[in-house]
């Protein structure tokens, strides 16, 4: 979740761990990670016991936000890259060097 949070922050989202996401019906759902962009609907993620991360959001409303799909695609690419770098670091490779710059 930390890598996802970092990816979201680098894309301009405000991130909060252990929060509540307002659902379509006006109720609230606990989420492990909440991301909010200025003038946008919040997005929430839950970490499942098998390690998968599930997005929770009002897809109909967020689909109307200009540029959001592209931003989420950049978040996904950045997350994948950060995850790959993290795995290389965990292997302890003294040969690998990398840096991440905002796109």
């Amino acid at each position: 979740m930390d890598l996802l949070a970092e990816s979201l922050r680098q894309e301009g989202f405000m991130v909060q761990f252990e929060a509540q996401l307002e659902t379509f019906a006006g109720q609230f759902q606990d989420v492990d990670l909440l991301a909010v962009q200025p003038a946008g609907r919040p997005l929430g993620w839950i970490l499942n016991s098998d390690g998968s991360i599930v997005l929770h959001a009002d897809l109909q409303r967020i689909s109307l936000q200009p540029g959001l799909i592209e931003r989420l695609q950049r978040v996904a690419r950045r997350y994948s890259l950060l995850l790959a770098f993290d795995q290389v670091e965990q292997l302890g490779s003294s040969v690998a060097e990398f840096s991440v710059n905002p796109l």
Side-chain angles (χ1 to χ4, degrees):
M1 294 302 275
D2 290 334
L3 296 176
L4 177 56
E6 181 59 28
S7 300
L8 288 160
R9 281 188 198 103
Q10 290 180 10
E11 203 44 54
F13 288 85
M14 295 176 289
V15 176
Q16 181 181 355
F17 286 95
E18 303 296 324
Q20 290 193 324
L21 173 69
E22 186 175 359
T23 65
F24 178 72
Q27 298 177 354
F28 290 90
Q29 176 179 358
D30 291 334
V31 293
D32 296 310
L33 183 66
L34 182 72
V36 180
Q37 61 178 341
R41 301 285 305 165
L43 308 168
W45 284 266
I46 294 177
L47 179 61
N48 287 330
S49 59
D50 66 359
S52 62
I53 300 171
V54 179
L55 171 64
H56 290 261
D58 182 345
L59 296 178
Q60 183 178 12
R61 288 184 183 171
I62 66 169
S63 69
L64 301 175
Q65 295 177 30
L68 181 62
I69 292 171
E70 293 81 6
R71 290 182 81 190
L72 290 177
Q73 289 172 340
R74 288 192 301 268
V75 167
R77 286 192 303 268
R78 188 180 310 271
Y79 172 78
S80 296
L81 183 62
L82 291 176
L83 181 61
F85 289 156
D86 186 62
Q87 290 174 345
V88 168
E89 270 187 358
Q90 288 181 19
L91 292 174
S93 175
S94 60
V95 180
E97 283 188 36
F98 62 87
S99 63
V100 177
N101 297 316
L103 298 175

XYZ file of all heavy atoms in Angstrom:
809
model
N 0.824 -1.200 0.000
C 0.000 0.000 0.000
C 0.866 1.261 0.000
O 0.445 2.278 -0.521
C -0.928 -0.010 1.210
C -1.969 -1.124 1.191
S -3.040 -1.121 -0.243
C -4.280 0.008 0.243
N 2.051 1.164 0.596
C 2.928 2.331 0.634
C 3.344 2.759 -0.771
O 3.409 3.957 -1.069
C 4.173 2.049 1.477
C 3.856 1.926 2.953
O 2.852 2.509 3.404
O 4.611 1.233 3.660
N 3.615 1.782 -1.629
C 4.012 2.111 -3.002
C 2.851 2.715 -3.786
O 3.042 3.642 -4.573
C 4.541 0.865 -3.711
C 5.810 0.255 -3.124
C 6.173 -1.022 -3.861
C 6.956 1.245 -3.140
N 1.651 2.209 -3.561
C 0.475 2.787 -4.204
C 0.267 4.216 -3.708
O 0.005 5.132 -4.499
C -0.765 1.943 -3.931
C -2.079 2.476 -4.486
C -2.009 2.710 -5.993
C -3.218 1.541 -4.125
N 0.412 4.421 -2.409
C 0.258 5.761 -1.842
C 1.275 6.724 -2.439
O 0.936 7.858 -2.809
C 0.391 5.717 -0.321
N 2.511 6.276 -2.576
C 3.546 7.129 -3.163
C 3.231 7.443 -4.620
O 3.389 8.574 -5.078
C 4.917 6.466 -3.050
C 6.055 7.289 -3.616
C 6.220 8.649 -2.963
O 5.861 8.829 -1.776
O 6.700 9.582 -3.652
N 2.763 6.459 -5.351
C 2.389 6.664 -6.753
C 1.269 7.691 -6.868
O 1.290 8.565 -7.742
C 1.946 5.348 -7.386
O 2.978 4.400 -7.330
N 0.292 7.586 -5.998
C -0.826 8.531 -6.003
C -0.361 9.940 -5.641
O -0.761 10.922 -6.271
C -1.915 8.061 -5.040
C -2.713 6.847 -5.515
C -3.400 6.167 -4.344
C -3.720 7.256 -6.580
N 0.488 10.053 -4.632
C 1.003 11.377 -4.233
C 1.758 12.031 -5.386
O 1.615 13.225 -5.629
C 1.927 11.241 -3.026
C 1.215 11.081 -1.728
C 2.195 11.155 -0.550
N 1.588 10.588 0.626
C 1.848 9.387 1.124
N 2.765 8.612 0.569
N 1.219 8.953 2.197
N 2.578 11.244 -6.072
C 3.357 11.790 -7.181
C 2.465 12.233 -8.332
O 2.880 13.029 -9.166
C 4.382 10.762 -7.663
C 5.493 10.548 -6.680
C 6.519 9.536 -7.161
O 6.518 9.109 -8.310
N 7.400 9.139 -6.265
N 1.248 11.745 -8.349
C 0.297 12.129 -9.392
C -0.651 13.233 -8.895
O -1.607 13.588 -9.558
C -0.467 10.887 -9.839
C -1.073 10.917 -11.196
C -0.215 11.480 -12.313
O 0.920 11.037 -12.531
O -0.711 12.383 -12.993
N -0.386 13.776 -7.697
C -1.133 14.923 -7.212
C -2.323 14.617 -6.316
O -3.086 15.514 -5.979
N -2.488 13.371 -5.911
C -3.577 13.011 -5.008
C -3.161 13.233 -3.560
O -1.990 13.085 -3.213
C -3.948 11.527 -5.165
C -4.656 11.194 -6.449
C -3.948 10.937 -7.606
C -6.040 11.122 -6.492
C -4.590 10.613 -8.787
C -6.700 10.801 -7.661
C -5.976 10.547 -8.812
N -4.110 13.584 -2.717
C -3.901 13.602 -1.273
C -4.284 12.208 -0.786
O -5.327 11.677 -1.181
C -4.761 14.669 -0.606
C -4.373 16.078 -1.014
S -5.474 17.330 -0.298
C -6.953 17.024 -1.245
N -3.456 11.621 0.062
C -3.620 10.230 0.462
C -3.771 10.119 1.974
O -3.094 10.823 2.721
C -2.400 9.404 -0.008
C -2.487 7.977 0.463
C -2.272 9.458 -1.523
N -4.650 9.228 2.395
C -4.871 8.979 3.817
C -5.028 7.469 4.018
O -5.787 6.815 3.305
C -6.122 9.702 4.285
C -6.430 9.529 5.742
C -7.706 10.262 6.137
O -8.315 10.983 5.352
N -8.123 10.052 7.361
N -4.322 6.932 4.996
C -4.453 5.520 5.342
C -5.574 5.339 6.356
O -5.863 6.247 7.141
C -3.145 4.978 5.937
C -2.062 4.786 4.911
C -1.115 5.763 4.686
C -1.998 3.624 4.166
C -0.124 5.594 3.743
C -1.013 3.438 3.215
C -0.069 4.430 3.000
N -6.178 4.145 6.351
C -7.229 3.786 7.317
C -8.290 4.881 7.388
O -8.391 5.612 8.364
C -6.629 3.529 8.702
C -5.567 2.454 8.733
C -6.094 1.081 8.375
O -7.239 0.751 8.730
O -5.347 0.325 7.727
N -9.077 4.990 6.348
C -10.079 6.057 6.260
C -11.427 5.463 5.872
O -11.574 4.247 5.765
C -9.628 7.091 5.227
N -12.378 6.349 5.670
C -13.702 5.927 5.235
C -14.032 6.593 3.905
O -13.809 7.786 3.720
C -14.763 6.278 6.264
C -14.662 5.440 7.516
C -15.905 5.599 8.374
O -16.479 6.670 8.462
N -16.318 4.505 9.002
N -14.576 5.784 2.997
C -14.981 6.234 1.682
C -16.490 6.340 1.657
O -17.188 5.393 2.016
C -14.509 5.228 0.623
C -14.983 5.455 -0.805
C -14.334 6.701 -1.394
C -14.670 4.234 -1.655
N -16.993 7.513 1.259
C -18.440 7.663 1.122
C -18.887 6.925 -0.131
O -18.360 7.142 -1.221
C -18.840 9.135 1.032
C -20.337 9.324 1.025
C -20.762 10.784 1.055
O -19.889 11.670 1.091
O -21.979 11.026 1.031
N -19.863 6.049 0.023
C -20.346 5.249 -1.099
C -21.450 5.984 -1.836
O -21.923 7.040 -1.409
C -20.863 3.882 -0.621
O -22.014 4.080 0.196
C -19.798 3.124 0.151
N -21.898 5.390 -2.923
C -22.950 5.971 -3.758
C -24.222 6.204 -2.954
O -24.902 7.191 -3.135
C -23.225 5.041 -4.946
C -24.329 5.527 -5.835
C -24.132 6.623 -6.666
C -25.569 4.926 -5.837
C -25.138 7.088 -7.490
C -26.587 5.384 -6.652
C -26.362 6.465 -7.481
N -24.544 5.309 -2.037
C -25.783 5.401 -1.274
C -25.670 6.330 -0.067
O -26.584 6.399 0.744
C -26.204 4.010 -0.812
N -24.567 7.053 0.065
C -24.392 7.961 1.188
C -23.936 7.274 2.456
O -23.884 7.884 3.518
N -23.587 6.006 2.350
C -23.040 5.279 3.481
C -21.526 5.347 3.409
O -20.963 5.906 2.471
C -23.537 3.838 3.463
C -25.038 3.723 3.582
C -25.512 2.277 3.477
O -24.745 1.372 3.211
N -26.795 2.076 3.694
N -20.873 4.769 4.406
C -19.420 4.814 4.442
C -18.855 3.406 4.486
O -19.435 2.513 5.095
C -18.935 5.622 5.652
C -19.226 7.086 5.520
C -20.430 7.599 5.988
C -18.327 7.938 4.915
C -20.716 8.944 5.857
C -18.610 9.282 4.775
C -19.798 9.791 5.256
N -17.709 3.245 3.829
C -17.013 1.967 3.804
C -15.584 2.197 4.271
O -14.921 3.132 3.804
C -17.019 1.393 2.397
C -16.238 0.109 2.284
C -16.269 -0.450 0.876
O -16.904 0.092 -0.011
N -15.594 -1.550 0.690
N -15.111 1.350 5.163
C -13.723 1.429 5.601
C -12.809 1.018 4.452
O -13.065 0.023 3.767
C -13.471 0.507 6.793
C -14.181 0.981 8.053
O -14.436 2.192 8.174
O -14.470 0.134 8.921
N -11.762 1.796 4.239
C -10.769 1.481 3.217
C -9.379 1.599 3.841
O -9.171 2.339 4.801
C -10.882 2.394 1.973
C -12.177 2.135 1.223
C -10.767 3.861 2.332
N -8.450 0.857 3.282
C -7.072 0.912 3.768
C -6.345 2.157 3.265
O -5.446 2.665 3.918
C -6.314 -0.345 3.340
C -6.901 -1.598 3.965
O -7.103 -1.610 5.195
O -7.187 -2.562 3.226
N -6.756 2.641 2.106
C -6.122 3.812 1.509
C -7.191 4.642 0.807
O -7.990 4.108 0.044
C -5.064 3.362 0.496
C -4.245 4.442 -0.177
C -3.359 5.163 0.833
C -3.395 3.841 -1.279
N -7.206 5.921 1.090
C -8.148 6.850 0.478
C -7.342 7.891 -0.281
O -6.372 8.437 0.248
C -9.003 7.530 1.546
C -10.074 8.495 1.051
C -11.218 7.716 0.405
C -10.600 9.346 2.193
N -7.740 8.152 -1.521
C -7.053 9.149 -2.338
C -8.078 10.154 -2.843
O -9.138 9.776 -3.322
C -6.342 8.490 -3.509
N -7.717 11.430 -2.726
C -8.607 12.501 -3.157
C -7.800 13.458 -4.016
O -6.675 13.820 -3.676
C -9.200 13.259 -1.951
C -10.129 14.364 -2.404
C -9.914 12.298 -1.010
N -8.398 13.858 -5.112
C -7.782 14.883 -5.952
C -8.611 16.151 -5.831
O -9.810 16.076 -5.558
C -7.695 14.421 -7.401
C -9.034 14.136 -8.026
C -8.902 13.729 -9.465
O -7.880 13.979 -10.098
N -9.925 13.123 -10.015
N -7.995 17.299 -6.002
C -8.766 18.541 -5.925
C -9.973 18.503 -6.873
O -9.847 18.088 -8.009
C -7.759 19.603 -6.339
C -6.421 18.999 -6.042
C -6.589 17.527 -6.289
N -11.117 18.899 -6.377
C -12.367 18.963 -7.146
C -12.768 17.623 -7.730
O -13.407 17.554 -8.765
C -12.258 20.003 -8.255
N -12.389 16.534 -7.063
C -12.733 15.220 -7.581
C -13.348 14.325 -6.522
O -13.353 14.646 -5.345
N -13.907 13.237 -6.968
C -14.500 12.245 -6.072
C -13.381 11.392 -5.468
O -12.396 11.097 -6.131
C -15.453 11.345 -6.844
C -16.606 12.051 -7.524
C -17.683 12.500 -6.603
N -18.186 11.378 -5.815
C -18.938 11.513 -4.733
N -19.279 12.707 -4.336
N -19.362 10.471 -4.080
N -13.534 10.976 -4.217
C -12.504 10.146 -3.588
C -12.485 8.722 -4.155
O -13.485 8.221 -4.650
C -12.914 10.144 -2.114
C -14.362 10.445 -2.112
C -14.630 11.290 -3.312
N -11.324 8.116 -4.066
C -11.113 6.738 -4.471
C -10.585 5.983 -3.261
O -9.790 6.524 -2.496
C -10.088 6.649 -5.598
C -10.321 7.539 -6.819
C -9.083 7.555 -7.699
C -11.526 7.037 -7.589
N -10.989 4.744 -3.092
C -10.523 3.961 -1.967
C -9.970 2.623 -2.423
O -10.403 2.068 -3.437
N -9.001 2.109 -1.677
C -8.428 0.802 -1.962
C -8.434 -0.036 -0.692
O -8.204 0.469 0.402
C -6.996 0.916 -2.465
C -6.880 1.365 -3.874
C -6.772 0.583 -4.987
C -6.843 2.707 -4.356
N -6.688 1.350 -6.113
C -6.727 2.660 -5.759
C -6.916 3.951 -3.732
C -6.670 3.802 -6.544
C -6.867 5.081 -4.506
C -6.739 5.006 -5.899
N -8.682 -1.316 -0.876
C -8.653 -2.269 0.221
C -7.626 -3.337 -0.112
O -7.593 -3.843 -1.245
C -10.039 -2.906 0.446
C -11.025 -1.835 0.932
C -9.961 -4.059 1.435
C -12.445 -2.331 1.116
N -6.792 -3.673 0.864
C -5.802 -4.725 0.711
C -6.425 -6.034 1.168
O -6.807 -6.176 2.336
C -4.557 -4.403 1.540
C -3.433 -5.425 1.507
C -2.895 -5.597 0.087
C -2.318 -4.993 2.451
N -6.557 -6.983 0.251
C -7.121 -8.294 0.575
C -6.080 -9.186 1.239
O -4.875 -8.933 1.127
C -7.646 -8.985 -0.687
C -8.917 -8.358 -1.202
O -9.723 -7.823 -0.431
N -9.111 -8.408 -2.502
N -6.538 -10.221 1.893
C -5.639 -11.135 2.603
C -4.687 -11.860 1.655
O -3.617 -12.295 2.069
C -6.446 -12.151 3.414
O -7.289 -12.900 2.557
N -5.045 -11.973 0.375
C -4.159 -12.639 -0.588
C -3.136 -11.680 -1.196
O -2.363 -12.049 -2.070
C -4.976 -13.307 -1.698
C -5.725 -12.312 -2.583
O -5.649 -11.087 -2.336
O -6.398 -12.773 -3.525
N -3.125 -10.422 -0.748
C -2.165 -9.439 -1.228
C -2.668 -8.594 -2.382
O -2.002 -7.639 -2.788
N -3.828 -8.910 -2.921
C -4.375 -8.105 -4.014
C -4.958 -6.805 -3.463
O -5.376 -6.732 -2.307
C -5.445 -8.886 -4.781
O -6.530 -9.216 -3.938
N -4.958 -5.790 -4.295
C -5.467 -4.482 -3.927
C -6.698 -4.202 -4.792
O -6.630 -4.297 -6.015
C -4.402 -3.385 -4.144
C -3.168 -3.676 -3.303
C -4.962 -2.015 -3.803
C -1.983 -2.779 -3.618
N -7.815 -3.849 -4.153
C -9.071 -3.652 -4.868
C -9.493 -2.193 -4.770
O -9.532 -1.622 -3.677
C -10.177 -4.564 -4.277
C -11.496 -4.351 -4.996
C -9.766 -6.021 -4.341
N -9.808 -1.614 -5.926
C -10.291 -0.224 -5.992
C -11.773 -0.193 -5.669
O -12.546 -0.997 -6.190
C -10.056 0.350 -7.395
C -10.692 1.702 -7.704
C -10.103 2.800 -6.824
C -10.522 2.041 -9.168
N -12.181 0.744 -4.825
C -13.588 0.985 -4.510
C -13.872 2.443 -4.842
O -13.209 3.342 -4.337
C -13.874 0.727 -3.021
C -13.805 -0.707 -2.667
N -14.921 -1.491 -2.554
C -12.750 -1.523 -2.430
C -14.556 -2.720 -2.246
N -13.249 -2.763 -2.167
N -14.860 2.660 -5.706
C -15.197 4.025 -6.110
C -16.544 4.018 -6.804
O -17.025 2.978 -7.241
C -14.127 4.577 -7.045
N -17.127 5.186 -6.904
C -18.349 5.375 -7.672
C -17.918 5.588 -9.118
O -17.644 6.708 -9.544
C -19.109 6.582 -7.122
C -20.423 6.831 -7.841
O -20.632 6.263 -8.939
O -21.235 7.608 -7.314
N -17.842 4.499 -9.869
C -17.280 4.557 -11.215
C -18.067 5.461 -12.150
O -17.493 6.109 -13.021
C -17.171 3.147 -11.798
C -16.211 2.217 -11.054
C -16.215 0.842 -11.700
C -14.812 2.790 -11.026
N -19.364 5.524 -11.971
C -20.169 6.389 -12.843
C -19.784 7.848 -12.644
O -19.603 8.592 -13.606
C -21.652 6.192 -12.583
C -22.528 7.015 -13.510
C -24.010 6.777 -13.271
O -24.399 6.176 -12.277
N -24.840 7.259 -14.176
N -19.653 8.260 -11.398
C -19.314 9.670 -11.135
C -17.866 9.989 -11.469
O -17.574 11.046 -12.024
C -19.614 10.017 -9.687
C -21.087 10.105 -9.405
C -21.353 10.541 -7.993
N -22.783 10.541 -7.739
C -23.310 10.713 -6.553
N -22.551 10.894 -5.497
N -24.620 10.699 -6.391
N -16.939 9.089 -11.118
C -15.539 9.416 -11.391
C -15.235 9.365 -12.880
O -14.302 10.009 -13.341
C -14.545 8.536 -10.601
C -14.617 7.084 -11.028
C -14.740 8.686 -9.113
C -13.500 6.243 -10.468
N -16.029 8.628 -13.658
C -15.796 8.582 -15.104
C -16.042 9.941 -15.749
O -15.563 10.199 -16.850
C -16.678 7.521 -15.754
O -18.041 7.907 -15.706
N -16.766 10.811 -15.073
C -17.066 12.142 -15.608
C -15.957 13.157 -15.321
O -16.020 14.280 -15.806
C -18.389 12.645 -15.030
C -19.615 11.765 -15.307
C -20.834 12.306 -14.574
C -19.869 11.642 -16.793
N -14.966 12.764 -14.517
C -13.891 13.691 -14.166
C -12.881 13.755 -15.310
O -12.266 12.747 -15.657
C -13.197 13.247 -12.880
C -14.103 13.298 -11.671
C -13.413 12.793 -10.424
O -12.214 12.918 -10.277
N -14.190 12.233 -9.517
N -12.691 14.929 -15.897
C -11.759 15.061 -17.022
C -10.334 14.658 -16.631
O -9.828 15.076 -15.589
C -11.816 16.546 -17.378
C -13.037 17.080 -16.705
C -13.317 16.184 -15.541
N -9.732 13.828 -17.450
C -8.333 13.455 -17.250
C -8.081 12.386 -16.204
O -6.932 11.977 -16.026
N -9.103 11.924 -15.513
C -8.874 10.967 -14.428
C -8.374 9.624 -14.954
O -7.477 9.024 -14.355
C -10.136 10.764 -13.588
C -9.972 9.789 -12.416
C -8.929 10.299 -11.428
C -11.291 9.572 -11.714
N -8.913 9.163 -16.046
C -8.482 7.873 -16.584
C -6.992 7.908 -16.894
O -6.252 6.979 -16.528
C -9.301 7.503 -17.836
C -10.750 7.226 -17.434
C -8.704 6.307 -18.562
C -11.695 7.056 -18.590
N -6.533 8.973 -17.510
C -5.116 9.097 -17.831
C -4.274 9.155 -16.558
O -3.198 8.557 -16.489
C -4.858 10.341 -18.689
C -5.463 10.268 -20.074
C -6.957 10.620 -20.124
O -7.537 11.045 -19.098
O -7.546 10.452 -21.208
N -4.765 9.866 -15.552
C -4.019 9.962 -14.282
C -3.921 8.596 -13.622
O -2.872 8.219 -13.111
C -4.689 10.956 -13.339
C -4.556 12.386 -13.811
C -5.181 13.335 -12.851
N -4.243 13.565 -11.752
C -4.558 14.200 -10.650
N -5.779 14.661 -10.476
N -3.675 14.399 -9.716
N -5.009 7.833 -13.634
C -4.986 6.499 -13.025
C -4.088 5.552 -13.822
O -3.437 4.678 -13.233
C -6.396 5.941 -12.895
C -7.274 6.630 -11.853
C -8.676 6.038 -11.854
C -6.654 6.546 -10.462
N -4.014 5.734 -15.127
C -3.086 4.931 -15.923
C -1.644 5.253 -15.542
O -0.812 4.356 -15.423
C -3.310 5.174 -17.416
C -4.595 4.575 -17.934
C -4.912 4.986 -19.365
O -4.401 5.979 -19.876
N -5.786 4.224 -19.995
N -1.351 6.536 -15.331
C 0.001 6.924 -14.901
C 0.298 6.378 -13.510
O 1.417 5.936 -13.238
C 0.169 8.441 -14.948
C 0.250 8.994 -16.356
C 0.695 10.452 -16.390
N -0.168 11.355 -15.652
C -1.194 12.022 -16.195
N -1.484 11.876 -17.468
N -1.916 12.840 -15.460
N -0.699 6.400 -12.618
C -0.522 5.834 -11.271
C -0.189 4.350 -11.386
O 0.724 3.859 -10.712
C -1.780 6.052 -10.394
C -1.726 5.197 -9.136
C -1.923 7.523 -10.025
N -0.914 3.628 -12.227
C -0.687 2.187 -12.384
C 0.724 1.909 -12.922
O 1.410 1.001 -12.432
C -1.740 1.582 -13.301
N 1.158 2.682 -13.906
C 2.512 2.490 -14.447
C 3.573 2.820 -13.399
O 4.557 2.100 -13.243
C 2.714 3.348 -15.696
C 1.977 2.811 -16.911
C 2.415 3.500 -18.186
N 2.257 4.942 -18.167
C 1.187 5.593 -18.599
N 0.166 4.937 -19.095
N 1.140 6.904 -18.560
N 3.359 3.921 -12.684
C 4.323 4.321 -11.650
C 4.379 3.274 -10.532
O 5.451 2.909 -10.060
C 3.934 5.690 -11.085
C 4.955 6.289 -10.154
C 4.493 7.637 -9.632
N 4.044 8.547 -10.652
C 4.839 9.403 -11.305
N 6.113 9.438 -11.051
N 4.335 10.215 -12.206
N 3.213 2.771 -10.126
C 3.162 1.736 -9.093
C 3.923 0.490 -9.546
O 4.713 -0.074 -8.787
C 1.710 1.381 -8.771
C 1.578 0.194 -7.859
C 1.800 0.314 -6.494
C 1.252 -1.056 -8.363
C 1.697 -0.776 -5.650
C 1.147 -2.159 -7.532
C 1.368 -2.013 -6.176
O 1.276 -3.102 -5.359
N 3.718 0.067 -10.783
C 4.403 -1.114 -11.316
C 5.914 -0.914 -11.301
O 6.672 -1.814 -10.943
C 3.935 -1.414 -12.737
O 2.575 -1.737 -12.747
N 6.332 0.273 -11.694
C 7.757 0.579 -11.707
C 8.333 0.588 -10.293
O 9.383 -0.014 -10.030
C 7.984 1.928 -12.384
C 9.424 2.378 -12.564
C 10.185 1.397 -13.448
C 9.464 3.776 -13.168
N 7.661 1.251 -9.365
C 8.143 1.293 -7.984
C 8.168 -0.104 -7.362
O 9.094 -0.440 -6.614
C 7.264 2.221 -7.139
C 7.370 3.716 -7.455
C 6.370 4.505 -6.614
C 8.783 4.220 -7.225
N 7.183 -0.932 -7.691
C 7.147 -2.304 -7.181
C 8.328 -3.111 -7.720
O 8.989 -3.835 -6.971
C 5.824 -2.970 -7.546
C 5.630 -4.401 -7.053
C 5.684 -4.469 -5.527
C 4.307 -4.947 -7.567
N 8.616 -2.968 -8.996
C 9.754 -3.680 -9.592
C 11.063 -3.234 -8.936
O 11.912 -4.060 -8.596
C 9.799 -3.441 -11.094
N 11.225 -1.917 -8.742
C 12.433 -1.412 -8.092
C 12.546 -1.926 -6.669
O 13.629 -2.292 -6.203
C 12.456 0.113 -8.098
C 12.698 0.719 -9.450
C 12.268 2.004 -9.715
C 13.338 0.036 -10.466
C 12.484 2.590 -10.950
C 13.556 0.600 -11.698
C 13.136 1.890 -11.947
N 11.432 -1.964 -5.962
C 11.419 -2.452 -4.587
C 11.844 -3.921 -4.535
O 12.610 -4.313 -3.651
C 10.020 -2.272 -3.987
C 9.971 -2.629 -2.512
O 10.679 -1.956 -1.718
O 9.242 -3.574 -2.162
N 11.379 -4.715 -5.471
C 11.739 -6.126 -5.500
C 13.217 -6.315 -5.811
O 13.866 -7.192 -5.241
C 10.854 -6.876 -6.492
C 9.425 -6.978 -6.001
C 8.477 -7.583 -7.020
O 8.794 -7.696 -8.198
N 7.294 -7.953 -6.568
N 13.773 -5.492 -6.694
C 15.205 -5.558 -6.979
C 16.005 -5.200 -5.735
O 16.986 -5.867 -5.401
C 15.574 -4.631 -8.160
C 17.087 -4.466 -8.276
C 14.989 -5.155 -9.454
N 15.579 -4.160 -5.021
C 16.260 -3.770 -3.792
C 16.226 -4.885 -2.756
O 17.205 -5.131 -2.055
C 15.619 -2.510 -3.199
C 16.225 -1.239 -3.674
C 15.663 -0.030 -2.940
O 14.767 -0.179 -2.079
O 16.127 1.078 -3.227
N 15.093 -5.559 -2.640
C 14.959 -6.638 -1.667
C 15.876 -7.814 -1.991
O 16.283 -8.546 -1.096
C 13.508 -7.100 -1.575
C 12.616 -6.102 -0.885
C 11.180 -6.578 -0.768
O 10.900 -7.762 -0.880
N 10.272 -5.652 -0.546
N 16.206 -7.988 -3.255
C 17.135 -9.045 -3.645
C 18.566 -8.713 -3.225
O 19.425 -9.578 -3.211
C 17.077 -9.277 -5.160
C 15.779 -9.878 -5.688
C 15.808 -9.912 -7.216
C 15.572 -11.274 -5.129
N 18.791 -7.450 -2.894
C 20.111 -7.041 -2.429
C 21.124 -6.909 -3.546
O 22.312 -7.042 -3.321
N 20.665 -6.679 -4.729
C 21.571 -6.562 -5.864
C 22.419 -5.304 -5.724
O 21.906 -4.196 -5.648
C 20.775 -6.513 -7.170
O 21.646 -6.286 -8.249
N 23.730 -5.484 -5.691
C 24.618 -4.326 -5.591
C 24.898 -3.717 -6.958
O 25.529 -2.678 -7.066
C 25.934 -4.743 -4.930
O 26.562 -5.759 -5.722
N 24.406 -4.357 -8.011
C 24.654 -3.880 -9.358
C 23.565 -2.912 -9.816
O 23.832 -1.998 -10.578
C 24.732 -5.079 -10.330
C 24.991 -4.604 -11.755
C 25.807 -6.052 -9.883
N 22.354 -3.100 -9.343
C 21.223 -2.315 -9.838
C 21.228 -0.911 -9.235
O 21.410 -0.732 -8.046
C 19.913 -3.002 -9.500
N 21.069 0.067 -10.109
C 20.895 1.448 -9.680
C 19.687 2.002 -10.425
O 19.461 1.663 -11.583
C 22.120 2.297 -10.036
C 23.283 2.082 -9.133
C 24.383 3.084 -9.421
O 24.067 4.247 -9.751
O 25.545 2.699 -9.314
N 18.938 2.855 -9.772
C 17.784 3.445 -10.434
C 17.420 4.744 -9.754
O 17.805 5.010 -8.635
C 16.594 2.488 -10.428
C 16.113 2.129 -9.044
C 15.192 2.920 -8.384
C 16.597 1.004 -8.418
C 14.759 2.595 -7.112
C 16.163 0.676 -7.134
C 15.249 1.458 -6.493
N 16.664 5.545 -10.493
C 16.081 6.751 -9.921
C 14.729 6.931 -10.585
O 14.504 6.502 -11.709
C 16.966 7.970 -10.144
O 17.091 8.217 -11.527
N 13.814 7.551 -9.851
C 12.466 7.796 -10.368
C 12.251 9.288 -10.403
O 12.421 9.973 -9.397
C 11.397 7.116 -9.475
C 10.010 7.437 -9.991
C 11.639 5.618 -9.410
N 11.879 9.784 -11.580
C 11.594 11.199 -11.739
C 10.139 11.354 -12.141
O 9.609 10.513 -12.865
C 12.487 11.810 -12.814
C 13.955 11.749 -12.438
O 14.307 12.047 -11.305
N 14.787 11.335 -13.361
N 9.482 12.400 -11.682
C 8.088 12.622 -12.083
C 7.971 12.689 -13.608
O 8.843 13.217 -14.281
C 7.737 13.961 -11.446
C 8.721 14.131 -10.342
C 9.975 13.435 -10.784
N 6.882 12.130 -14.103
C 6.626 12.143 -15.555
C 6.070 13.464 -15.999
O 5.425 14.156 -15.338
C 5.658 11.023 -15.925
C 6.150 9.622 -15.626
C 5.041 8.615 -15.921
C 7.369 9.289 -16.455
